[in-house]
């Protein structure tokens, strides 16, 4: 008999109070939970159980949470919410750059965590069904049906949120989108105003799809306005940006 399809959340956190609190509340909300008190155990559980989402504390006793994130991204696209007591902006930015989908500073409200967890799980590409022709422009190809991105035929590994951002830009290719449009459609209305988040993600997507991210050919910034994914109509179009 198939196991009930309750979404599974892995909590990687050494502070037992947080683990208990989160575990109790997530169970009440219909999630299955797993927990790991160390980064190494967390990585083992991600590999063995393929959780639907991960809540990752940055301050772990064995390895740095950011290293856990970087290592898990080599084999897992599960959405990750980073939590940090350090309250350090640089850490948060590094977390997002290393593949986290969202972050929360400690102490955080449980309703806020639940809302963010549900948001990151909603926007995983696996949950979407689309029959839209692939986007193709120069060396960039986005297969919406398979949620796959490649550059010059080489697959590109994007996190759920990175993919959603690129997908939304591609659906609106050739149009400049202001940060709030991206925030509202990719992250949700509660994120409107957080332009920093857009900048971090644009930079991450560029690192993955551009040959030279300082001189992007696909994901263009219109200074003071917003961002645009260019559609190069012809493979022989001049490469001037
Ligand atoms: Ca900790």
């Amino acid at each position: 008999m198939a196991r009930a399809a309750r979404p599974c959340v892995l909590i990687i956190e050494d502070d037992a109070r947080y683990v208990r609190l989160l575990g109790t509340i997530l169970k009440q909300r219909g999630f299955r939970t797993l927990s790991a008190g160390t980064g190494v155990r967390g990585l083992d559980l991600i590999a063995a159980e393929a959780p639907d989402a991960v809540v990752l504390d940055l301050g772990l006793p064995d390895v740095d949470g950011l290293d856990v994130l970087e290592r898990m991204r080599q084999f897992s696209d599960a959405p990750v919410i980073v939590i940090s007591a350090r309250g350090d902006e640089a850490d948060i930015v590094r977390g997002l750059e290393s593949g986290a989908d969202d972050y929360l500073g400690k102490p955080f409200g449980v309703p806020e965590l639940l809302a963010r967890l549900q948001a990151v799980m909603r926007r995983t590409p696996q949950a979407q069904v689309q029959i839209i022709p692939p986007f193709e422009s120069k060396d960039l190809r986005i297969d919406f049906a398979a949620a796959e991105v490649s550059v010059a035929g080489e697959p590109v590994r994007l996190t759920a949120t990175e993919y959603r951002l690129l997908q939304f830009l591609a659906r609106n290719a050739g149009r400049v989108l202001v940060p709030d449009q991206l925030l509202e459609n990719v992250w949700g209305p509660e994120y409107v105003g957080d332009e920093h988040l857009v900048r971090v993600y644009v930079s991450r997507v560029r690192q993955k799809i551009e040959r030279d991210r300082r001189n992007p050919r696909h994901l263009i910034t219109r200074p003071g306005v917003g961002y645009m994914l260019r559609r190069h109509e012809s493979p022989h179009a001049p490469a001037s940006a």
Side-chain angles (χ1 to χ4, degrees), residues 13-15 57-61 106:
E13 162 69 282
D14 59 311
D15 185 333
D57 181 36
L58 292 186
L60 295 169
K106 282 180 178 176

Side-chain angles (χ1 to χ4, degrees), residues 62-146:
D62 56 341
V63 284
D64 192 281
L66 292 171
D67 294 333
V68 173
L69 187 55
E70 277 163 20
R71 276 149 71 177
M72 76 167 274
R73 280 294 174 238
Q74 291 166 16
F75 64 90
S76 169
D77 293 328
V80 174
I81 296 181
V82 157
I83 53 178
S84 172
R86 297 185 241 182
D88 183 342
E89 173 95 353
D91 262 0
I92 289 164
V93 171
R94 250 195 82 203
L96 292 172
E97 285 174 348
S98 307
D101 294 278
D102 208 341
Y103 62 87
L104 274 175
K106 282 180 178 176
F108 52 82
V110 170
E112 194 182 7
L113 177 75
L114 280 172
R116 288 180 184 223
L117 199 52
Q118 278 158 350
V120 296
M121 291 172 82
R122 252 200 324 269
R123 58 182 188 246
T124 54
Q126 299 91 304
Q128 296 164 17
V129 178
Q130 285 127 5
I131 309 164
I132 295 175
F135 172 92
E136 287 174 301
S137 176
K138 285 196 185 284
D139 57 356
L140 175 65
R141 185 174 197 275
I142 306 167
D143 180 339
F144 299 112

